[in-house]
Amino acid sequence: MKTLRRYGAGALLAAATLLTTACGGLGSTTAESASSGPVPELEPGQQVEITFESYNLANATWTKTINGLLERFEELHPNITVHGQPPQGGGTAGSNTAASVQSQLMVGKAPDVAQLTFGELDYAVHKLKPKAVEDVAGKEEVQAAFGGEHPIAERARDLAAMDGKVYGMPYVFSTPVLFYNADLFRKAGLDPERPPTTWAQVEEYAHAITKATGADGAYADCLTKVAVDWCMQALVRSNGGTVISGDRKTLTFAEPPAVDAIATFQRMVSSGAMPDLAQSQAMDAMGRGQLGMFLETSALQGTLQAQAAGNWDLRAAPMPSFGEREPVPTNSGSALFIFSEDKAKQRAAWELIKFMTSSEAYTAISSEIGYLPLRTGLVDDPDGLKAWAEQNPLIRPNLEQLERLEPWVSFPGDNYVQIRDLMMQAVENVVFQGKDATSTLTEARNRASELMPAS
């Protein structure tokens, strides 16, 4: 495995400036990729080099795990060399992963395998045009890859499907988990064995923690523009709302259920239960043991464990509910897509994808990073994650929520980022600046609606 960085940010920005989508997409059409059926197996000894682009390689904490897996893949496939690289131009999860692939497509250097977030799915399929894994490997082989001794969870299998076809393999993701500081609970007279189950209780506990300890009470990392919208969608869905209609033609994040959900957190900020902090400030406060509760992706489990070790008692609980409504967790995370034009590279890319979504890979990814093991049977396997899961009960809320998972919904069209940003900026303005929830979200909805594709 070789880590590769091929372009500077300036070159990619220049390429992006030249981009035009008038042609309706950058890659070959689905018909072209499907015309000859599944690509053939590699011949014995046939040497192939491919590039794997992953935003996990942009995070120093996660790089060791991913690079270790790529090295293991090359041991198992000595005829395939994998060059690992982070998104080009400084992309991170949810921000620039599709733009990175887009820029490289413009100069004819697209990665062979790319990790793209589910929030980019519509744009990726219809504009970047990856090779559907069903076309590369065949439907039967894809279904076989979902199965095995520890099958991928049913609710995860269609997360990278669109228009009736599987385009990518679900890779890594998590659900929103309520991490909490059991030491602060005890100091506030709260029972750490009984974490809050509703947002009303979260607010009550938060005030108790602040009054007794001086630490901040609770923070939901779902409500700022930088947080993107996957977790915000979980909050809205948990209150009976949506951000877009089922037919994907109408934006609905200004409807009463969504407005009421966002207004709940505005009240928590105004009452002092939730501090007015930026995402990075909240993460720092939690790490220092100065924040009682933190709704966050479980992908930060490993980071929080390292910060808490020997300093404070880290616990985890499922996402709280709005009253008696059952919470509806959505997923963060990504899938793996194939952009190779060469048939041999496509086959090598598929072999890499199968390995990176295998039991061996998830054993490392879950135990070392904290992502949800999509092959959930691993947590009961003595040769898999059983011992680790018993020693790390923080994974349990995430596993429980997988049974109720609903997808992180992507916005359609070329302007999906602008639509998302308008929505999330409005949410941030309501929660942290005290703007009127109904009028602010309605104005954002109206502006974003103008950016939706024509029906």
Side-chain angles (χ1 to χ4, degrees):
M1 188 281 303
K2 301 174 184 177
T3 301
L4 182 68
R5 183 181 292 274
R6 294 183 295 183
Y7 307 110
L12 287 175
L13 289 174
T17 302
L18 295 173
L19 178 68
T20 174
T21 57
C23 60
L26 296 169
S28 62
T29 65
T30 300
E32 290 170 342
S33 62
S35 59
S36 58
V39 297
E41 299 279 353
L42 296 177
E43 296 293 334
Q46 183 178 0
Q47 298 296 313
V48 180
E49 292 190 19
I50 58 174
T51 300
F52 173 52
E53 180 161 303
S54 168
Y55 61 73
N56 293 136
L57 289 172
N59 183 306
T61 304
W62 301 338
T63 296
K64 181 179 179 181
T65 298
I66 303 305
N67 281 340
L69 287 171
L70 297 183
E71 290 171 1
R72 173 60 175 157
F73 173 78
E74 288 185 339
E75 291 176 4
L76 297 172
H77 301 271
N79 59 321
I80 302 175
T81 300
V82 182
H83 301 284
Q85 66 180 31
Q88 306 296 281
T92 57
S95 66
N96 200 34
T97 51
S100 172
V101 173
Q102 182 182 62
S103 297
Q104 294 172 84
L105 279 167
M106 280 297 297
V107 294
K109 296 290 186 179
D112 300 295
V113 180
Q115 176 189 13
L116 301 178
T117 65
F118 293 112
E120 301 168 304
L121 179 62
D122 188 289
Y123 185 82
V125 168
H126 295 125
K127 295 298 180 178
L128 303 184
K129 296 189 180 297
K131 308 299 183 287
V133 292
E134 285 188 0
D135 295 339
V136 171
K139 290 184 179 181
E140 290 185 3
E141 189 169 344
V142 170
Q143 293 306 311
F146 282 139
E149 181 181 1
H150 301 299
I152 288 179
E154 287 286 345
R155 284 184 175 266
R157 298 184 181 191
D158 291 335
L159 292 177
M162 181 159 280
D163 303 331
K165 180 172 287 191
V166 178
Y167 280 88
M169 284 289 284
Y171 178 41
V172 293
F173 68 77
S174 65
T175 60
V177 171
L178 186 70
F179 293 103
Y180 62 98
N181 186 323
D183 290 341
L184 292 180
F185 270 49
R186 296 186 189 97
K187 291 177 182 178
L190 303 170
D191 184 356
E193 304 302 325
R194 297 170 63 87
T197 58
T198 68
W199 286 110
Q201 288 180 332
V202 169
E203 184 170 11
E204 177 187 344
Y205 284 30
H207 285 302
I209 289 170
T210 299
K211 182 177 180 180
T213 71
D216 288 321
Y219 188 90
D221 187 17
C222 315
L223 304 161
T224 60
K225 183 178 175 181
V226 72
V228 198
D229 64 330
W230 75 273
C231 181
M232 175 268 194
Q233 289 192 22
L235 298 176
V236 169
R237 290 291 297 114
S238 295
N239 200 42
T242 59
V243 298
I244 191 170
S245 60
D247 62 9
R248 300 178 56 74
K249 295 181 179 180
T250 305
L251 298 175
T252 56
F253 60 79
E255 298 300 314
V259 171
D260 291 346
I262 302 308
T264 295
F265 297 95
Q266 182 190 63
R267 291 191 294 271
M268 288 177 64
V269 171
S270 64
S271 75
M274 189 164 108
D276 181 0
L277 298 176
Q279 181 188 62
S280 59
Q281 293 172 319
M283 293 175 67
D284 179 65
M286 189 69 186
R288 291 185 290 105
Q290 292 299 306
L291 177 62
M293 292 164 282
F294 193 29
L295 188 73
E296 183 56 273
T297 168
S298 73
L300 288 182
Q301 176 182 305
T303 299
L304 291 173
Q305 284 178 312
Q307 293 171 331
N311 298 311
W312 50 276
D313 185 0
L314 175 66
R315 304 285 184 92
M319 182 174 67
S321 68
F322 291 91
E324 296 182 357
R325 290 181 179 271
E326 184 175 57
V328 181
T330 54
N331 59 282
S332 66
S334 59
L336 300 180
F337 298 86
I338 297 173
F339 289 94
S340 308
E341 294 294 340
D342 179 82
K343 298 296 185 182
K345 288 179 179 288
Q346 289 175 11
R347 173 52 66 174
W350 172 242
E351 295 300 330
L352 176 63
I353 287 174
K354 285 195 296 181
F355 175 75
M356 296 300 288
T357 57
S358 68
S359 292
E360 180 176 350
Y362 281 128
T363 297
I365 288 168
S366 296
S367 62
E368 297 174 18
I369 295 178
Y371 279 118
L372 186 66
L374 298 192
R375 298 186 184 274
T376 55
L378 286 167
V379 298
D380 298 314
D381 185 348
D383 296 324
L385 289 168
K386 183 176 182 180
W388 175 82
E390 290 173 349
Q391 295 173 7
N392 294 272
L394 299 181
I395 194 67
R396 290 296 174 181
N398 211 8
L399 287 170
E400 294 169 8
Q401 292 185 149
L402 181 58
E403 300 300 318
R404 294 179 280 109
L405 181 76
E406 293 195 6
W408 173 14
V409 179
S410 61
F411 291 111
D414 295 351
N415 301 313
Y416 74 102
V417 174
Q418 294 94 319
I419 293 170
R420 182 182 67 201
D421 286 351
L422 281 168
M423 177 180 71
M424 292 307 298
Q425 187 62 64
V427 168
E428 185 173 342
N429 291 346
V430 169
V431 174
F432 294 106
Q433 297 183 21
K435 300 290 187 181
D436 178 75
T438 299
S439 61
T440 303
L441 289 167
T442 298
E443 180 184 0
R445 188 270 318 277
N446 292 343
R447 292 175 62 193
S449 295
E450 296 177 356
L451 301 175
M452 291 280 284
S455 300

